[in-house]
């Protein structure tokens, strides 16, 4: 009898975990905000709202006041989020139709949305809906409406693609979702503000050097950490 | 904890500044937020642009606000009232401006303002005085005029029930402009008859989701404008 | 003791009464129609819907399913019609806000509206909102929206003004409400269709001669009565 | 007497002709009128233009309608589904057209169509592929694109309660596109779980007034699309 070959050890994750990233983003969401969370990593933000804060979650398919996921067996196929996953509604929730829902988005009533990204450019351009491959089925959903209408757009994403390419780039090569729309980027390596002067790094994950960060980023970065400390 | 309730009408309107654009709900007296309007009279803000379907009755509510010389300009569809001479006198004397807008266009402009639509085309008023000077455009053989979304700094609205999130229901035809004005104003201020606990209003029956509401004041028994007018009341 | 002088006899009303006019209009409203009734004489139409027909009355201030006037003492200042008079709501009524209400109007969902008129021109132009006098307070309400959006516009009006001037004219001199919008006119003297070929009279009130009618009308009339009988 | 109830889904869709534009409600399976769609498959109308947010799942409902080659063109925002290859295969083979519209623009175009607005400006898609070739215009320093109202010959919608006037309520997030599609279609056909007597639905809580509804079919227990997909069901 031979032993199975040992699996190669998973490389140690670099920087923050997804929960760390979600926690950082949640810390930046003021009490009382109306927030739309994109599908994927952004959904984790709901679990990290600091104690004592109340935020109201909007899902574009017609619900304000999204609650936690239902207990197993309690799912209702007519109570879902934009990712088509079962959710619950908090007491004080409201249901509405799609035109009203996107009036909230387009009309500037949603304070913050947290989205994923394929690419973010140094000027805040975002690409997160299509890889532009010739045989891809194009599907945009509400992404373009969200970035056009929501007051502040947070991006929550791994800093690099699975193949190691930077997601923060000088210029997006994928089809754009919106022009100059991103306000802040939370990755596993850093928190980066998109400002008129460029991409300003306000925090770097423990164990990540500035050189590491710069090497994994496709656009120039400005170190804004000292400035922050000076303020404090 | 989110709690949009404020203690008084005076507190609710305290930041309505001179020169503000204020949408005021109501169709005639139905839905007219009379206590909020009176608080605005007490507040004394001047040079206001008021968006409201009518111009009020007698010498209370909206008519009193106008009579008190706080309104520089009215944007409305029907500034004539059988029982009020306040607006007509000021208008004839050239002391108040009027932008007359067809009622459906007024409603759609307010809704557009709240929905992030800067402009839209409508068939209403084509070929009339109220369409003159406006951009015209033909779609599929029909003429339309371009109209612009309307936003406001504040809205004063009367609803029926609210919860601390600002979710609202209205009462019968007092609903009228309230829901769309809440959408179109940066700060919407609502007087309601009753507050409920969250969940105390059926989430399927909420007319205005709380995201469109900034402040709620409870006025359990609002004054009835027509009764005040019959009694010859004047405010202040 | 002297007797009071006899009041001059009120001249016999010519042609149809207002109730007659409303009855004629009501007869032309198909079962199941959605109808908006203007302020004044048009309101009478509600009382003359033929037995066995059900029509749904819309009032632009946010109610579909207007019922009869409330009993004295039962008025609700928050349940009124566009003329700001107290009404009731039928079982099966619905309330909605102004943008939805005018979506019904502008979107072509209301089948028929019945309006009053200052002037109607031979081509269907309507003037019913302003006399254009320099010191008049202009007030348009929903009139322009109704004529622009409702499928069929009926006019219910006295044939002549109080001073005897024709209301049916070659060209409106008052400010217009809409261009080529009127479908049919019901007056105390006649029922007149607005057609591409001109104003076609389909009925004349008893005791009114064609010459009387023509003399009291400011636009050419086509006699469509024979044609109707030929059809029958 | 007005009575919009019809006896069966088959009867309700019997006049949906070849070449018709059909709006179909639903966001994923929530609000998808599966029995009406299956009746349309039975009816066999071809060359349809379908306006719907998605393209269906598995081999039932909307996916089955597409698979049955009845749809010439889809107007939708998100034609990708984890568990359906029906649309992608036809699309890659060039056998179905796609007009991809951002979800909020799709909703607003439908609402505009129903509200008599032929066109409006929106900030969504400016600077993107989906804004290319569209008329651009600047209002107050911001760029917008012109979008056109959408109407349809028919709408197929799932609601919750109805009365004989066609007044409707919906259930939770199954409301989504239903109310605006009822507005935008010349003939809107609605399946509901239950009919009530007039007055049996609170007039303040009616979401879609009956004026927007032509026919109602009662399907007390509609099939659950995700369950059918799990079971590997195919229609017909």
């Amino acid at each position: 009898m031979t032993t199975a070959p040992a699996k190669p050890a998973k490389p140690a994750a670099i920087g923050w975990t997804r929960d760390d990233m979600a926690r950082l983003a949640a810390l930046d969401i003021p009490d009382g905000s109306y927030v739309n969370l994109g599908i994927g990593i952004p959904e984790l933000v709901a679990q990290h709202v600091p104690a004592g804060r109340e935020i109201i979650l909007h899902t574009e398919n017609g619900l304000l006041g999204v609650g936690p996921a239902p207990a197993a067996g309690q799912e209702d196929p007519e109570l879902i989020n934009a990712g088509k996953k079962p959710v619950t509604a908090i007491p004080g929730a409201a249901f509405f139709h799609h035109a009203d829902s996107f009036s909230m988005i387009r009309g500037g009533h949603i304070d913050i949305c947290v989205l994923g990204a394929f690419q973010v450019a140094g000027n805040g351009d975002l690409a997160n809906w299509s890889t532009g491959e010739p045989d891809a089925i194009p599907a945009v959903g509400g992404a373009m409406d969200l970035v056009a209408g929501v007051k502040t757009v947070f991006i929550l994403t791994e800093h690099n693609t699975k193949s190691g390419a930077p997601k923060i780039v000088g210029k997006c090569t994928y089809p754009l979702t919106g022009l100059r729309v991103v306000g802040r980027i939370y990755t596993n390596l850093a928190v980066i503000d998109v400002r008129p002067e460029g991409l300003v790094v306000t925090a770097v994950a423990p164990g990540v050097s500035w050189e590491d960060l710069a090497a994994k980023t496709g656009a120039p970065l400005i170190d804004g950490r000292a400035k922050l400390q000076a303020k404090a | 904890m989110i709690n949009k309730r404020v203690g008084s009408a005076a507190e609710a309107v305290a930041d309505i500044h001179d020169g503000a654009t204020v949408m005021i709900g109501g169709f005639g007296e139905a839905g007219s937020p009379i206590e909020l309007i009176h608080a605005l009279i007490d507040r004394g803000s001047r040079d206001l642009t008021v968006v409201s379907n009518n111009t009020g009755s007698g010498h209370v509510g909206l008519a009193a606000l106008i009579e008190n010389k706080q309104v520089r300009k009215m944007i409305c569809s029907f500034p004539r009232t059988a029982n009020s001479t306040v607006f007509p006198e000021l208008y004839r004397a050239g002391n108040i401006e009027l932008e007359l807008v067809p009622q459906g266009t007024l409603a759609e402009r307010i809704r557009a303002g709240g929905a992030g639509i800067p402009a839209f085309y409508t068939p209403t008023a084509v070929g009339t005085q109220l369409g003159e000077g406006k951009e015209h455009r033909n779609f599929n053989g029909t003429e339309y005029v371009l109209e612009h979304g309307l936003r406001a700094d504040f809205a004063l609205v009367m609803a029926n029930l609210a919860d601390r999130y600002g979710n609202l229901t209205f009462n019968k035809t007092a609903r009228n402009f309230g829901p769309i004005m809440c959408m179109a104003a940066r700060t919407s201020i609502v007087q309601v008859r009753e507050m409920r606990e969250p969940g105390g209003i059926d989430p399927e029956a909420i007319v205005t989701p709380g995201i469109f509401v900034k402040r709620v004041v409870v006025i359990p028994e609002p004054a009835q404008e027509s009764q005040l007018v019959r009694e010859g009341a004047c405010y202040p």
Side-chain angles (χ1 to χ4, degrees), chain A, chain B:
Chain A
M1 185 178 139
T2 56
T3 54
K7 280 185 187 160
K10 200 178 168 188
I14 303 172
W16 288 311
T17 65
R18 292 180 167 194
D19 276 306
D20 291 334
M21 291 155 60
R23 193 175 296 113
L24 286 167
L27 271 172
D28 288 345
I29 299 177
D31 190 27
S33 296
Y34 290 92
V35 179
N36 182 296
L37 300 178
I39 301 167
I41 315 184
E43 292 180 61
L44 292 173
V45 170
Q47 298 166 27
H48 294 287
V49 177
R53 279 193 212 169
E54 190 175 26
I55 69 172
I56 303 289
L57 297 177
H58 172 266
T59 182
E60 56 264 39
N61 55 317
L63 167 59
L64 202 59
V66 180
Q74 298 299 305
E75 299 88 354
D76 178 346
E78 298 195 340
L79 181 49
I80 59 175
N81 66 13
K84 306 193 176 83
K85 285 188 208 157
V87 293
T88 55
I90 64 167
F95 295 105
F96 35 82
H97 63 54
H98 249 78
D100 282 349
S101 185
F102 281 85
S103 291
M104 295 176 189
I105 292 172
R106 200 189 313 100
H109 304 282
I110 310 277
D111 298 300
I112 293 172
C113 68
V114 187
L115 301 175
F118 292 158
Q119 293 177 323
V120 184
N123 66 352
D125 287 357
L126 174 66
N128 77 344
W129 71 282
S130 167
T131 58
E133 283 160 33
D135 72 333
I137 303 298
V140 65
M144 288 187 184
D145 307 285
L146 285 163
V147 301
V150 173
K151 287 177 209 157
T152 301
V153 176
F154 286 175
I155 297 298
L156 206 55
T157 180
E158 299 290 335
H159 202 86
N160 296 85
T161 67
K162 280 174 193 164
S163 63
K167 290 185 149 202
I168 299 170
V169 295
K171 190 169 160 47
C172 295
T173 54
Y174 290 147
L176 290 178
T177 309
L179 295 176
R180 287 176 292 281
V181 293
V182 174
R184 191 171 293 165
I185 311 162
Y186 301 84
T187 77
N188 52 317
L189 302 189
V191 179
I192 304 171
D193 270 11
V194 183
R195 299 195 194 152
E197 64 267 33
L199 296 175
V200 178
V201 177
T202 58
V204 176
V208 176
S209 72
W210 182 264
E211 291 66 32
D212 278 352
L213 178 65
K216 288 173 190 291
T217 305
L221 297 175
I222 300 166
D223 191 347
R225 292 173 296 173
K227 221 177 269 175
L228 276 187
Q229 287 166 343
K231 262 194 192 166
Chain B
M1 194 182 84
I2 297 170
N3 187 359
K4 299 188 177 179
R5 182 170 180 172
V6 297
S8 69
E11 189 183 329
V13 305
D15 59 349
I16 301 187
H17 50 83
D18 290 359
T21 295
V22 184
M23 292 179 174
I24 301 184
F27 181 91
E29 72 174 314
S32 182
I34 189 163
E35 280 76 14
L36 290 176
I37 298 171
H38 288 171
L40 181 56
I41 293 174
D42 297 345
R43 167 78 176 74
S45 323
R46 300 180 71 83
D47 205 28
L48 303 173
T49 296
V50 169
V51 182
S52 193
N53 191 61
N54 305 100
T55 53
S57 293
H59 302 274
V60 296
L62 179 53
L65 182 73
I66 295 169
E67 191 165 27
N68 204 33
K69 306 275 174 64
Q70 293 178 246
V71 182
R72 183 179 64 75
K73 179 179 178 180
M74 285 297 311
I75 300 178
C76 77
S77 91
F78 207 86
R80 254 194 335 244
T81 316
N83 57 16
S84 183
T85 56
V86 166
F87 178 85
E89 284 172 8
L90 284 168
Y91 180 72
R92 289 203 182 94
N95 289 328
I96 191 165
E97 290 173 54
L98 171 65
E99 180 178 341
L100 188 71
V101 183
Q103 196 173 141
T105 299
L106 182 64
E108 191 67 12
R109 289 180 63 191
I110 295 167
R111 191 259 173 202
I117 301 295
F120 59 90
Y121 291 91
T122 174
T124 300
V126 168
T128 75
Q129 277 182 5
L130 300 188
E132 275 172 27
K134 289 182 177 162
E135 178 180 323
H136 282 57
R137 184 156 173 175
N138 194 297
F139 293 97
N140 294 318
T142 303
E143 281 290 301
Y144 297 87
V145 295
L146 183 72
E147 292 282 355
H148 294 265
L150 264 178
R151 296 213 60 189
D153 300 305
F154 297 91
L156 304 183
V157 164
M158 183 164 86
N160 194 39
L161 304 178
D163 61 22
R164 65 178 171 86
Y165 293 115
N167 292 310
L168 304 178
T169 66
F170 294 82
N171 184 45
K172 305 189 185 77
T173 55
R175 187 184 302 194
N176 59 68
F177 285 89
I180 53 177
M181 286 182 171
C182 285
M183 291 172 67
R186 284 168 202 90
T187 300
S188 50
I189 305 167
V190 183
Q191 66 171 76
V192 299
R193 287 192 173 83
E194 186 190 334
M195 290 292 283
R196 294 269 174 92
E197 286 302 307
I201 307 174
D202 177 0
E204 303 279 9
I206 288 168
V207 171
T208 293
I211 192 169
F212 297 127
V213 174
K214 194 79 127 252
R215 295 172 199 153
V216 177
V217 188
V218 180
I219 310 282
E221 294 184 17
Q224 197 180 306
E225 184 184 281
S226 52
Q227 192 181 331
L228 294 180
V229 171
R230 275 194 303 275
E231 292 166 354
C234 292
Y235 197 90

